Every structure is written in structure tokens, then in C-alpha cells.
Amino acid sequence: MADTASGQILRDKVAIVTGASSGLGRAVAVALAGKGAKVAMAARRMDRLQEVESVIANSGGVSISVKTDVTQRAEVKELVRHTEKTLGPVDILVNNAGTMYYTLMKNVHEDEWEKTVDVNIKGFNNSIGAVLDGMVKRGKGHIVNMSSDAGRRGYLGLAVYSGTKFYVEGLSQAMRNELIGTGIRVTCIQPGDVTTELFQHTTDTEAKEKYDVHEKTKILEPEDVANAVVYAVSQPGHVGVNEILIEPREAPL
Ligand code: NDP
């Protein structure tokens, strides 16, 4: 039962957050646990997950860490199996793990294109594939996909990344409509620039100098985006928050 009086509005809910070892995923995991959800956190860096686990435990929350490479379908299936055995059936998937490289198409950084597709598309699919059947059988569930404002507009220097986020948007729109009548909700969160480690992977200095402006204006904090996720998953059952576009005030779409 949700305990709204104490603010534990997600009490008894089980959530999986992929990419919880840093940035948005970390903030989302802490925020969901703060509202009473039991959270399974997935990523490859266990030391970082365990640090988040301590933060959550120190605030009286419940979480587990599961080492997972989302590009490996079997590992994601095992993440869900272990979560259900340990915490219970999954109510919420925050499909957040992702990567990004500023790069110009003409510079042909094909390895980075491939890594982006592997995590942002294949890993994204693997996560949905591992929870959806159970949600359909239980007649409830909420899939929150971490898209981007780059899922609404192709950004210069981010062509492949934007392409992957258009994929997230297209799949989410179709799936949301396909799942009408099943009790499952699908939300896309579309943040603009947020202070995370996402910007550290770029090797294409030409693209970075031209188009990476994240240090030039006040951008979002991970907690701003976590608040949007909490809003989406806290609405009454008949409400579908289809998408939330959240931008730095000084950098609108
Ligand atoms: P970070 O780099 O801080 O976090 C990325 C997370 O994804 C890490 O926890 C990382 O964990 C995880 N991850 C990457 N590859 C894999 C993998 N193969 N398997 C499992 N986990 C993986 O970036 P953000 O927090 O910013 O990014 C999170 C999401 O938010 C992404 O989908 C991104 O596209 C989206 N986003 C970010 C914005 C921003 O400006 N920061 C704006 C809009 C959207 P580990 O390395 O431990 O595996």
C-alpha cells in the first residue's frame, strides 16, 4: 500500500534502474528509494553501485546492486530473475543506461557509432525484453525510457546519438499504443544537458569544440531529472505521462 502520509508513495514497488552507477541513473535510484521503492541497480561498475547502495541504506532505503552489461541479453535476463527472487516482481523499469560521443559524421568514428548503438539501442531493447512479458502477465508495470531532447531534434555533432534517441522515441510511441488495455505505462523522459559523466567519453576534439556547450551555461542537475521520473511513476493508474521534456532554462529546444 502506498503510504502517502509519510511521503513513501512508492512503498512496496520494485524498480530496476539501469546505468545506476553514475549520473541520472544514480539520482533516479536514490530518489525512487527515497519514496519507498525497493530498487535493483544495474551497471558494470560494482564499486560505484555499492557506493550508491550505501547512500540509500543510510537513508533507510532498500536496494541491491547487480553487475550487468546491458548489451548482453543473458545478463539482463539474469538481472530481472535475481531482482524478482530478491525483491519481488518488477513494477518499474527505468531504462537509463546509455552512452554518448560528440563526433562529426565526416570524421567516421565507426567504433563510437557502434558502441552508441550497442548500448542505447540493443541494451535498451534487452532491458524491455527482460521485463515486458512479466508485466503483461501481471497486468501492470511502468517502463520509463531515458530518451533526450536529442530524441526530438537531430543535434549537430550528435548524429548517431540523436538517431539512437529517435529510436527510443519511435519504439516508445508504438509500444505505448500496442500496450493499451494491458495496464502498462510507457514514459519517455527527454532531458537537455545534465551535469554527468556522459560528456567525458568524447574523443573527436573537432566536434567537441564546435558543439559541446555544456560548460558554457547553467545546465540541469541529475536530481532535476530524477524528480521528473518520480512524478511520472507516482500518478494515479489511469494517468499516462507519455513524455516529459526537461531543459536547462537558458537552453530550450
Ligand atoms: P553517465 O555516463 O553518468 O551514466 C551512464 C550510465 O550508463 C552509467 O551508470 C554506466 O554504468 C551505464 N552504462 C553504460 N554502458 C553500459 C552497459 N553496457 N551496461 C550497463 N550499463 C552501462 O551518463 P548520464 O547519467 O548522463 O546518462 C544516462 C542516460 O541519460 C543515458 O541514456 C543518456 O543518453 C541520457 N541523457 C543524458 C543527458 C545528459 O546531458 N547527461 C541528457 C539527455 C539524456 P557503467 O559504466 O558502470 O556500466
Side-chain angles (χ1 to χ4, degrees):
M1 284 286 288
D3 181 353
T4 45
S6 69
Q8 297 279 293
I9 47 179
L10 298 175
R11 207 176 77 179
D12 298 331
K13 299 277 187 203
V14 173
I16 289 179
V17 181
T18 66
S21 58
S22 67
L24 303 188
R26 182 190 193 283
V28 169
V30 170
L32 295 179
K35 297 293 179 191
K38 290 178 275 182
V39 182
M41 303 185 294
R44 294 163 302 176
R45 290 171 295 174
M46 272 306 265
D47 55 330
R48 299 283 294 262
L49 290 179
Q50 281 158 353
E51 182 269 326
V52 190
E53 212 180 306
S54 307
V55 170
I56 290 174
N58 289 340
S59 309
V62 175
S63 67
I64 59 170
S65 303
V66 188
K67 186 172 173 18
T68 312
D69 180 341
V70 295
T71 67
Q72 303 303 310
R73 198 191 301 168
E75 291 189 25
V76 186
K77 297 267 194 243
E78 177 55 23
L79 159 69
V80 174
R81 193 201 64 76
H82 181 67
T83 301
E84 302 211 328
K85 192 167 148 238
T86 314
L87 303 178
V90 179
D91 299 293
I92 299 164
L93 165 68
V94 183
N95 204 357
N96 165 80
T99 196
M100 183 185 87
Y101 303 87
Y102 273 94
T103 183
L104 300 177
M105 292 305 290
K106 75 173 177 64
N107 292 342
V108 197
H109 283 222
E110 286 174 295
D111 286 345
E112 292 177 356
W113 300 356
E114 190 169 345
K115 280 186 201 156
T116 309
V117 168
D118 281 349
V119 182
N120 297 10
I121 295 184
K122 292 184 189 167
F124 169 85
N125 284 352
N126 288 340
S127 303
I128 292 173
V131 296
L132 190 55
D133 183 54
M135 287 181 173
V136 170
K137 286 186 176 132
R138 291 187 294 276
K140 62 177 183 163
H142 197 149
I143 296 175
V144 179
N145 292 323
M146 198 56 76
S147 178
S148 168
D149 58 3
R152 294 177 60 139
R153 191 179 93 193
Y155 277 83
L156 303 182
L158 287 174
V160 172
Y161 177 78
S162 297
T164 65
K165 294 301 184 180
F166 271 65
Y167 177 89
V168 168
E169 291 290 332
L171 182 145
S172 300
Q173 278 180 25
M175 183 167 70
R176 184 181 299 122
N177 281 287
E178 237 188 65
L179 291 173
I180 289 171
T182 63
I184 297 169
R185 296 188 267 196
V186 180
T187 298
C188 280
I189 309 288
Q190 302 158 340
D193 285 354
V194 191
T195 52
T196 71
E197 296 169 24
L198 197 69
F199 298 91
Q200 294 173 6
H201 311 302
T202 294
T203 61
D204 185 333
T205 46
E206 185 187 1
K208 184 172 172 59
E209 277 160 25
K210 269 177 126 163
Y211 297 121
D212 179 359
V213 295
H214 83 278
E215 285 167 348
K216 297 183 182 142
T217 187
K218 169 66 186 153
I219 59 173
L220 300 170
E221 297 299 327
E223 291 71 24
D224 300 324
V225 180
N227 289 341
V229 173
V230 169
Y231 171 79
V233 300
S234 305
Q235 298 309 302
H238 66 286
V239 177
V241 179
N242 294 352
E243 50 192 42
I244 299 180
L245 172 66
I246 172 168
E247 296 279 50
R249 190 193 63 213
E250 300 300 313
L253 189 67

